[in-house]
Amino acid sequence: ETGVTQSPTHLIKTRGQQVTLRCSSQSGHNTVSWYQQALGQGPQFIFQYYREEENGRGNFPPRFSGLQFPNYSSELNVNALELDDSALYLCASNHAGTDYGYTFGSGTRLTVV
Amino acid sequence: DQQVKQNSPSLSVQEGRISILNCDYTNSMFDYFLWYKKYPAEGPTFLISISSIKDKNEDGRFTVFLNKSAKHLSLHIVPSQPGDSAVYFCAASGLGNQGGKLIFGQGTELSVKP
């Protein structure tokens, strides 16, 4: 059991729509990161939240946004979906100050048509 | 700009033999390196890590070697088992204000044959 759960597991959206992906972090983990993994590639860092504030962002446009809540849950929102947004979206949590062994969820497979 | 590279997309090894997975990086500011294992339909699972102040870290059958001058690290699995068959990702971190960002390689698919 990974301790990090993501929902939904699969999702199909139409180009131009908006999507919200959800993550429930492992209890006690105050840091959550989101990654995008395209087919055949490694995960790419989207952003990280620490104590409900964004504290790091990768090379993704502003239409990718997030929220972290006090109950260890978080959201990834993507507006104006494009076909290239089709990917596996991974959530990872950790407790700041410990090692970098982030715990990943199983991901949400997003398909944009 | 691929800062972390795994140049072998796949590797096939016989059960009981050694598996060696390689990873190269370009940014000398990285100070922490990790290996993750990923099975289909699951998220990556943390395997082992190494700080840039060390050149070797061992955990059971898994050993990671770091060669800073060559900007190269490798993961050794001895002995390899069929259950080790998975995609292995190398990741690096430590770029100052990047907020815990991990930069992953493209992955190497390991197949351990009985």
Side-chain angles (χ1 to χ4, degrees):
Chain A
E1 184 180 5
T2 64
V4 176
T5 56
Q6 293 186 242
S7 62
T9 55
H10 295 82
L11 194 57
I12 299 176
K13 287 287 193 178
T14 303
R15 188 173 52 181
Q17 284 188 313
Q18 178 267 343
V19 70
T20 297
L21 309 182
R22 293 181 171 82
C23 172
S24 178
S25 302
Q26 189 161 321
S27 180
H29 283 189
N30 54 13
T31 301
V32 65
S33 303
W34 285 90
Y35 288 80
Q36 180 195 68
Q37 186 179 8
L39 205 58
Q41 300 295 317
Q44 284 198 50
F45 177 76
I46 302 175
F47 45 57
Q48 175 170 280
Y49 279 76
Y50 170 67
R51 292 185 175 178
E52 302 159 47
E53 298 277 340
E54 183 182 301
N55 76 335
R57 190 175 185 93
N59 190 25
F60 281 81
R63 58 190 185 83
F64 285 78
S65 63
L67 287 171
Q68 184 187 25
F69 304 101
N71 64 350
Y72 306 114
S73 66
S74 61
E75 292 179 353
L76 165 65
N77 298 289
V78 187
N79 293 322
L81 283 166
E82 301 177 0
L83 297 179
D84 286 347
D85 295 333
S86 295
L88 179 68
Y89 289 85
L90 295 162
C91 167
S93 72
N94 193 14
H95 192 284
T98 59
D99 64 34
Y100 285 75
Y102 283 80
T103 302
F104 280 82
S106 298
T108 294
R109 173 71 63 186
L110 173 66
T111 303
V112 182
V113 297
Chain B
D1 179 24
Q2 191 74 25
Q3 297 189 67
V4 177
K5 296 182 183 179
Q6 295 175 255
N7 292 316
S8 298
S10 63
L11 175 68
S12 183
V13 170
Q14 206 67 30
E15 180 180 6
R17 307 295 289 267
I18 184 171
S19 295
I20 300 177
L21 298 101
N22 294 303
C23 178
D24 296 296
Y25 61 96
T26 58
N27 196 322
S28 58
M29 296 297 290
F30 289 140
D31 62 7
Y32 209 86
F33 303 90
L34 308 89
W35 284 93
Y36 280 84
K37 179 169 75 171
K38 187 179 186 301
Y39 294 116
E42 294 184 14
T45 302
F46 171 68
L47 202 53
I48 192 170
S49 62
I50 187 167
S51 164
S52 61
I53 63 174
K54 295 185 175 182
D55 55 19
K56 176 182 174 182
N57 189 26
E58 192 172 353
D59 183 2
R61 296 186 298 115
F62 303 91
T63 303
V64 56
F65 295 92
L66 175 62
N67 183 334
K68 284 186 293 183
S69 60
K71 294 190 177 67
H72 177 84
L73 64 155
S74 60
L75 174 68
H76 292 210
I77 306 174
V78 184
S80 301
Q81 300 173 355
D84 295 331
S85 298
V87 178
Y88 288 78
F89 291 100
C90 164
S93 186
L95 294 180
N97 64 352
Q98 293 294 314
K101 173 181 181 178
L102 293 178
I103 298 177
F104 284 84
Q106 308 95 308
T108 296
E109 184 170 11
L110 173 65
S111 176
V112 180
K113 300 190 182 302

